[in-house]
Structures are given as C-alpha cells and as structure tokens.
Amino acid sequence: MNDFDTSNSNHFKYTTDVLEFHILGGLTTFGLDRMRVTLKVNRIEDKFHAYRNNIDLYNANSVEKFVRKLAEFLEIGTSNIRRALQELISELENYRLELLDQVENEEAEEYLLSKKERRSAADFLKSKNLLEKTNKLIGQSGVIGEDGNRLLMYLIFTSRKMDNPLNCVSFGSSGSGKTHLQSKVAELIPEEERLSLTSLSANSFYYFKRTELKYKLILIEDLDGADDVLYPLRELQTKKKITKSVVQKGIGGQGKTKNLTVEGPISVAGCTTQESIYEDNSNRSFLIHIDESEVQDEKIMTYQRKLSAGKIDIEEELKAEELLRNAQRLLKPIKIINPFAEYLVLPKAVFKPRRTNAHYLQFIEVITFYHQLQREKQYDLHTGEEYIETTIEDIKYANEILKPILLCKSDNLNGATRSYLEKLKMYLENKGDTVFTNREIRTAFRIAESTLRRYQLLLLQEGYIKRRKDVQGDSFVYEIVDVNEFKELENSINSALNFCIEKIGSKTSISKKSN
C-alpha cells in the first residue's frame, strides 16, 4: 500500500512499491492554479541514485517530459511512473485543501487585557472631554503637531470596527512626513487589527483567508506604487467583498473551479504625492493634507533635537500608545442611531455632496461609537436590537474636526495650489503690495520653476489671479483678484454648520416643552 508522510512540513515522502518521492520544501497554499514543487525520486532499493527537478505538477507538458526523463534515468516503465505521479498529485491536492480549510477555520488570536489594563482603558473612555484627552495622548505618543489631522486620522482608523468604515488618503510633497504621520497614528491601533502593505499585487488580495481582512485597518505606505491593488481595494470598500475563480488543473488537463472570496468591510489609509491621480479612491476617502508650514517644520526639528539629546521620555510615549491601543480593544461593535440626522444639511458650496454627506454622517457615528462607554444602551422595541444614540455634542465635535475637510471639498483648487495661494496672500500683505512677478516669488519661496508655472497656470484658469503688462517694463506682473475669497468660503461653511446646530437646538427645546 502506498504511503504519504507529511510529518515534516518541509519534507513530504510518498512511497510506492517501487519508487520513493521526496517533496523538498513542502507545499505552498498560495496560488491554487499551480502546484510547483521540488521533487527528488529514487528507487526503493537505491536511495543514492536519485533524479531531482523543479516542476509544476499542473503543467501537463512539463509532467509528461518529466515522466520520460525519469523513466530513462531510473530505467522504469513510463506507465508505472505516470500512475504513481497521478496518485501523488491527488494526495497533495487533498492535503492542500485540508490545510486551507484548517487555516480558514482558525480565528485570529485575541489579545487578552489584564484587569488593570481593562480598568485603565475603561476609565479613560468614560472620562470627560474624551476627544481632547485622546488628542493630547496622541501627541504624547510621539506624533508631533498636526493636531487636527492626527485626531481625524485616529477616529477614521477607529471606524474599522463599524459596518461602514471610513478611509483616508494623505497628500503631501516628498519628505513632508505623510507616511510618518500615518504609521505613528496606526501604532495606536492594536497590532492584530491592522495590516501594513509595502508591496502587493492585485491577485494577492484574493489569497487572504476569507475573514482575514474583516474589520481590519489596511495601510498602504505609497499609493504611487500600488496601482494594481486600487481596484480590489475599491471593491472591498464599496461592496465589502471580492471574489475570484481559479481552476485547479490535474495531470490529464481536467480541473475544477474554486471561488476565492475575501470579505470586508475594511478601513484603508494610504499616502501619495499626486492628488489628482487617485480621484476614484479619493471620492471614497477623507483627504488629509499634511501641514508643510515652517511652524510645523520647527516643531519636528525641535523634537528631533530633544530626542538626540536624550530629553524625550520614551517610556511615557510607550505608555500613551498602550493606553490608546487598549481603549481600542475595549470598543465593541454596536448600532448607532442619529436622531438629529434629518436636520444636518451640508453647505451648498460642497462638491459631490452625495458622497460627502454620507461621509459626514458616518463620521458623526464614529464619534458616537468612540463614546459608547458614556452612552446609555437602548433597545429597539420591535427587534430588541441594542443601540446608542448620537448627541448634539457629537455633532459639534464632528463639525469642528471636519471644517478643514469640508473646506477642501468646497474649494476649486487642490490642496497644494491652495496652500501656495494663501502663502502668496500673506507674503503680499506683509510686503504691503498687490502685484508680484514669477521671478520674485520663485526667489522668495525657493520654489522650482516648473512647480510655480503649474500653480500659476491653474490660478489663471480658475480666475484667482490675473496677468497684466508691467507699466515700467516689457515683462508681465500678476495680481490676486479677490484676497478675501477663501475667508468668505470658510465663513459660509461655518454659518451653514452653525445653522444646523441652532436648528437642532430649537427643535429639541420645542420637543421638551411639548412633553
């Protein structure tokens, strides 16, 4: 009787009456459409006279060629070798499918909080001014500056535990610290609930375990080099599931189809220098523009100097990280109901309001979710389902945090061009002038000519600046059309958000009086 020995995961043995097959290096479960192995074959009575070869056992031509060479080398009939190989392939297929089933049924090991850790995390989540304390702890963990962006990113990462997670894309020039910000905030999420990707093909996504990515945070360090994975990522974000069919081929060309399914939902975060390229993905995400101001530069460099001088308390940073991670572990999925949702209307200036409106309402739910230990649990009278309700304070917090995001979504300019224009306005105000030349700005801002030309062209096309002939020479000078346009846009957004809060307040007062 033939014997198939898999006791050594790196050295399988398959023995027939005449032959002994050694599968060196074991068998991978990655890629069910192929079965590439390293084979060593010898006669039972002659272990030293062996034939070795790398082969894909699902490639019929390669297998047939292998059979003929092996028959010649060992001086055995091809029919005996063919039958033995078919039996070996069948054994390997069964073993691999059993291994896959076993792996899929394995649940991720859950981190068990000690009583002390659980109590500290619960006390923190129940404390007053939770968001302010959270932002302070994020800073204590080593995230320098970026006060608004870091809290926004942390809350987006928190949404991974919800049925409709949020996503974010960080924009900034090379060396601006976008990847550093993302990775530092991600360290505040439990390690078992996040996955960092540096290099991945589109097909690779389909070979994760069925629920391996479910409710996980997926981090992509550089979207510029991840074009292939953007489509499956969008599908996981939108449809919360991706499926691919693969064919497992046998030696005779026969095969069967197996569906590879990976389930979401997932929360995705990525970084890029190219804002305009990722429109499809950015529509599904919050756009975070990294602070590239001189003030932020100084904060980072001051921290670097103190770290080099040994004046940073690393132990305190680690304690802050651990407390925030444990707080995340305490948060449990629960239904959120926003009784004020009908009164929340986005400012008219916001572009693509349908998707932005969904993001806005979901972000309010995230804040409610984060405050779950402070909210009274309620139960649906018809279904008995447990839920908590959004408060007016949650909406106020969301409005404050999202103002820069809504402002960007209402602006005709991209983030980099807007930053340039606002810097230009400040420069001219300090100078006490209204006109400027390209040469002057290139020298003052130390900006590349190609970059300046791109900014100027967009500003001219959109009507934010105008060009006119210099009366003192033959060159051209430029002038800003409306210095206050951005402040007016900001004021209109603030007014719209405040109006919603006032409307909710008045409705609530009327409701209380009627009761």
Side-chain angles (χ1 to χ4, degrees):
M1 183 176 178
N2 298 344
D3 178 51
F4 185 47
D5 180 8
T6 59
S7 57
N8 186 336
S9 61
N10 289 310
H11 183 192
F12 300 163
K13 280 185 183 180
Y14 181 69
T15 308
T16 70
D17 293 338
V18 180
L19 296 173
E20 195 172 63
F21 292 85
H22 302 263
I23 296 89
L24 306 176
L27 180 67
T28 179
T29 58
F30 183 80
L32 296 182
D33 56 342
R34 55 193 176 276
M35 187 181 283
R36 181 164 289 281
V37 295
T38 300
L39 280 178
K40 171 188 169 185
V41 190
N42 58 269
R43 284 176 175 267
I44 295 291
E45 69 273 11
D46 186 3
K47 297 184 182 294
F48 298 101
H49 189 60
Y51 185 76
R52 298 169 177 83
N53 197 8
N54 289 312
I55 184 172
D56 182 358
L57 295 177
Y58 281 174
N59 188 319
N61 292 332
S62 297
V63 169
E64 186 59 32
K65 186 176 180 181
F66 175 78
V67 168
R68 290 196 301 270
K69 286 192 173 183
L70 184 59
E72 181 182 349
F73 185 83
L74 297 180
E75 297 180 353
I76 298 178
T78 56
S79 60
N80 291 333
I81 295 175
R82 243 184 234 106
R83 184 169 56 253
L85 267 177
Q86 289 173 349
E87 292 169 353
L88 171 61
I89 291 170
S90 180
E91 292 283 2
L92 288 172
E93 284 179 334
N94 291 334
Y95 173 81
R96 184 159 67 172
L97 290 174
E98 287 175 7
L99 193 62
L100 279 171
D101 290 339
Q102 177 184 342
V103 169
E104 286 184 359
N105 291 331
E106 288 179 356
E107 294 184 359
E109 186 176 348
E110 186 177 353
Y111 180 91
L112 296 177
L113 293 170
S114 67
K115 288 184 179 180
K116 182 179 179 181
E117 288 174 330
R118 183 175 292 276
R119 185 169 57 251
S120 297
D123 289 342
F124 171 71
L125 289 172
K126 291 177 182 177
S127 62
K128 292 182 178 180
N129 302 318
L130 176 59
L131 289 181
E132 287 89 339
K133 291 180 179 178
T134 297
N135 204 0
K136 185 177 179 181
L137 272 181
I138 296 173
Q140 290 176 3
S141 72
V143 181
I144 308 304
E146 299 282 4
D147 292 17
N149 284 340
R150 70 192 190 193
L151 181 59
L152 171 63
M153 189 176 286
Y154 179 79
L155 290 170
I156 290 172
F157 291 175
T158 301
S159 73
R160 77 196 180 282
K161 290 193 167 189
M162 304 175 69
D163 288 333
N164 293 300
L166 298 170
N167 314 281
C168 66
V169 177
S170 299
F171 295 109
S173 59
S174 180
S176 60
K178 54 188 179 298
T179 304
H180 178 73
L181 175 65
Q182 177 176 284
S183 60
K184 286 296 290 182
V185 176
E187 287 175 6
L188 309 178
I189 304 301
E191 188 175 352
E192 66 272 17
E193 297 178 19
R194 69 177 191 264
L195 179 65
S196 182
L197 305 176
T198 53
S199 178
L200 196 70
S201 68
N203 286 332
S204 302
F205 263 102
Y206 298 94
Y207 292 99
F208 283 104
K209 303 171 198 174
R210 186 181 187 93
T211 59
E212 188 175 357
L213 299 182
K214 197 169 187 176
Y215 299 119
K216 294 287 177 63
L217 170 63
I218 309 298
L219 302 160
I220 302 176
E221 292 185 6
D222 187 3
L223 283 171
D224 300 344
D227 294 346
D228 291 342
V229 303
L230 294 182
Y231 175 73
L233 275 177
R234 286 198 297 269
E235 292 297 293
L236 275 171
Q237 288 172 299
T238 305
K239 298 180 181 178
K240 303 178 184 176
K241 182 172 72 172
I242 54 174
T243 301
K244 178 181 180 179
S245 296
V246 297
V247 178
Q248 298 176 358
K249 297 179 181 178
I251 218 172
Q254 296 180 347
K256 61 179 181 180
T257 302
K258 180 178 177 67
N259 288 330
L260 303 178
T261 299
V262 180
E263 295 180 358
I266 59 172
S267 176
V268 180
C271 302
T272 180
T273 58
Q274 305 178 60
E275 184 172 351
S276 59
I277 292 181
Y278 303 99
E279 185 174 357
D280 284 344
N281 286 74
S282 63
N283 286 339
R284 294 168 170 83
S285 309
F286 281 89
L287 310 184
I288 296 178
H289 294 275
I290 299 301
D291 184 357
E292 299 185 46
S293 66
E294 294 179 1
V295 174
Q296 175 66 6
D297 290 342
E298 188 56 40
K299 286 180 182 179
I300 293 173
M301 290 188 291
T302 299
Y303 175 84
Q304 291 170 341
R305 296 184 193 109
K306 288 184 177 180
L307 183 63
S308 181
K311 293 185 178 181
I312 298 296
D313 191 340
I314 303 298
E315 191 65 29
E316 285 300 314
E317 288 189 355
L318 295 176
K319 285 181 180 178
E321 284 183 15
E322 192 61 31
L323 178 55
L324 288 171
R325 278 196 294 267
N326 290 340
Q328 288 285 324
R329 291 184 175 111
L330 273 192
L331 296 172
K332 302 298 179 184
I334 190 170
K335 183 178 180 181
I336 310 293
I337 290 181
N338 183 355
F340 311 109
E342 294 177 304
Y343 306 113
L344 299 174
V345 180
L346 286 177
K348 296 291 185 182
V350 172
F351 298 124
K352 298 182 179 177
R354 295 181 184 182
R355 186 157 275 170
T356 303
N357 186 60
H359 288 167
Y360 175 53
L361 294 174
Q362 288 167 19
F363 188 75
I364 294 172
E365 291 181 9
V366 174
I367 293 179
T368 305
F369 177 82
Y370 192 57
H371 286 83
Q372 62 181 250
L373 267 65
Q374 302 183 22
R375 302 294 155 80
E376 180 184 355
K377 290 183 174 61
Q378 303 185 52
Y379 300 89
D380 190 290
L381 295 177
H382 301 289
T383 64
E385 186 178 10
E386 187 178 66
Y387 69 91
I388 56 176
E389 286 191 348
T390 295
T391 65
I392 298 178
E393 285 68 30
D394 294 340
I395 299 172
K396 290 179 179 178
Y397 277 128
N399 288 351
E400 193 62 34
I401 296 171
L402 291 184
K403 277 180 185 177
I405 302 296
L406 294 175
L407 195 55
C408 287
K409 286 185 174 289
S410 306
D411 197 356
N412 289 318
L413 303 177
N414 60 44
T417 309
R418 171 54 67 184
S419 297
Y420 163 75
L421 179 56
E422 293 308 302
K423 186 177 180 180
L424 179 61
K425 290 177 184 178
M426 188 175 298
Y427 169 79
L428 293 175
E429 182 181 352
N430 294 334
K431 183 185 173 185
D433 203 347
T434 58
V435 298
F436 62 94
T437 64
N438 282 344
R439 178 180 294 180
E440 174 191 1
I441 297 304
R442 197 164 64 246
T443 303
F445 290 4
R446 300 178 64 186
I447 190 171
E449 183 179 358
S450 59
T451 304
L452 179 62
R453 191 184 304 117
R454 186 172 68 250
Y455 290 155
Q456 294 287 80
L457 180 61
L458 181 58
L459 292 173
L460 281 169
Q461 289 174 342
E462 296 292 336
Y464 286 90
I465 63 174
K466 59 184 178 181
R467 185 175 64 173
R468 58 183 175 83
K469 194 83 174 226
D470 187 0
V471 293
Q472 298 179 353
D474 295 331
S475 61
F476 289 100
V477 296
Y478 297 88
E479 184 176 8
I480 295 176
V481 174
D482 185 359
V483 176
N484 298 316
E485 49 84 24
F486 195 58
K487 290 182 180 178
E488 291 172 358
L489 178 62
E490 188 175 9
N491 290 335
S492 68
I493 290 174
N494 288 337
S495 298
L497 295 176
N498 291 336
F499 177 76
C500 291
I501 296 295
E502 292 171 3
K503 191 174 181 180
I504 291 171
S506 63
K507 294 285 184 181
T508 304
S509 300
I510 294 172
S511 178
K512 287 181 179 179
K513 289 179 180 179
S514 62
N515 291 334

